[in-house]
Amino acid sequence: MADKAPFISFPEGYLGSRSAKFPLIADTDEYFAINKEAGLACFQHDWTQGKPDFTAALRRELIGGKPQLARLGIEGVFRIFNLDAEVSGATLYAKTEAAEEKIKNAFGSRQIRMFYHFLATNESGERELASDLPLARHFQERRMLVSHKTGKKCKTQFRFLRNFGQFELWEAETLDMRTHQIRLHAAELGLSIVGEEEYAKGEKILLSGIKRGYRPS
């Protein structure tokens, strides 16, 4: 990580009404990664209307000569993959067109392993689960569906990590990056992710559910 730029900050109006700051979690000669918050889109499309565009804000700041980005020595902001707007986590960008092609080829040939953590309730009682259901976009609604005819292949491995109050902490591992893949595969296996509303009836998280002895005032 670069010592001089541990964060990338944005002024008011770029990603909402308030200023924002995001950790720079990786920085090499070829790529950098920023920890994106949930609710921000990696790019604008018909499913992200109304959500702030994280990549567009980065490019706007780069063009404006932002010192935090200039110190990274990047030629441009080249998006490698699209992290769902509903998901927080590492958003990876290449610094040059050559690096973009190299990393995208590695991603397309399933050489990059990705991990996600989430809280859920578990109907199955199992501690290891897997799904390889192919996914396709719904032709009318803003969601994915399982389709053995038109769906794209993908596979997700799920591992229980520990109990967390009334919920369980799970890890999902995949070599793919399909839209809503983790959410839909989890729901199909009986894992209801906290806050999930599209593919399962995920519970809301309350402090009383994870903090022993908590009593609301």
Side-chain angles (χ1 to χ4, degrees):
M1 179 179 293
D3 294 334
K4 295 182 180 180
F7 293 94
I8 301 296
S9 58
F10 297 90
E12 298 177 5
Y14 274 56
L15 294 172
S17 59
R18 310 173 93 181
S19 59
K21 182 186 291 186
F22 303 92
L24 177 69
I25 56 179
D27 179 23
T28 74
D29 292 339
E30 294 187 320
Y31 63 83
F32 66 100
I34 298 174
N35 191 20
K36 181 186 81 69
E37 294 180 355
L40 301 177
C42 285
F43 76 107
Q44 287 297 312
H45 57 89
D46 56 343
W47 284 17
T48 61
Q49 294 176 2
K51 291 183 172 62
D53 188 328
F54 189 71
T55 303
L58 275 173
R59 288 174 176 156
R60 182 178 174 182
E61 288 286 74
L62 179 64
I63 293 172
K66 188 179 187 66
Q68 288 176 321
L69 294 177
R71 283 194 290 265
L72 298 180
I74 63 179
E75 296 179 6
V77 178
F78 303 94
R79 192 178 67 248
I80 302 300
F81 58 77
N82 302 316
L83 195 64
D84 294 343
E86 299 86 353
V87 177
S88 63
T91 307
L92 184 64
Y93 296 95
K95 293 184 175 183
T96 66
E97 289 188 10
E100 177 192 28
E101 182 178 2
K102 175 183 176 181
I103 300 172
K104 278 190 173 181
N105 285 339
F107 178 72
S109 56
R110 306 180 82 242
Q111 297 177 30
I112 298 178
R113 194 175 302 273
M114 289 155 283
F115 298 87
Y116 301 83
H117 287 176
F118 60 88
L119 293 173
T121 55
N122 180 12
E123 298 176 6
S124 71
E126 300 291 333
R127 289 297 181 255
E128 290 197 14
L129 297 164
S131 175
D132 60 358
L133 293 171
L135 304 182
R137 286 185 56 157
H138 194 284
F139 65 95
Q140 289 182 325
E141 302 175 13
R142 296 181 180 182
R143 64 183 180 89
M144 303 295 285
L145 51 79
V146 176
S147 175
H148 293 280
K149 292 184 177 180
T150 62
K152 294 183 179 180
K153 295 180 180 180
C154 55
K155 183 176 182 180
T156 313
Q157 300 278 354
F158 295 93
R159 286 182 290 273
F160 167 82
L161 296 180
R162 68 182 180 90
N163 288 310
F164 199 81
Q166 69 187 69
F167 304 105
E168 295 178 349
L169 179 63
W170 282 77
E171 179 178 78
E173 177 183 348
T174 183
L175 296 172
D176 308 294
M177 182 65 85
R178 308 300 184 199
T179 302
H180 295 183
Q181 175 184 331
I182 307 300
R183 296 166 61 191
L184 201 160
H185 277 179
E188 290 288 332
L189 293 169
L191 292 175
S192 297
I193 298 175
V194 168
E196 175 63 56
E197 297 179 347
E198 187 65 58
Y199 303 104
K201 294 181 179 179
E203 297 185 31
K204 302 294 184 181
I205 189 166
L206 301 174
L207 187 58
S208 58
I210 60 175
K211 187 176 181 180
R212 185 175 298 176
Y214 173 79
R215 295 290 183 273
S217 58

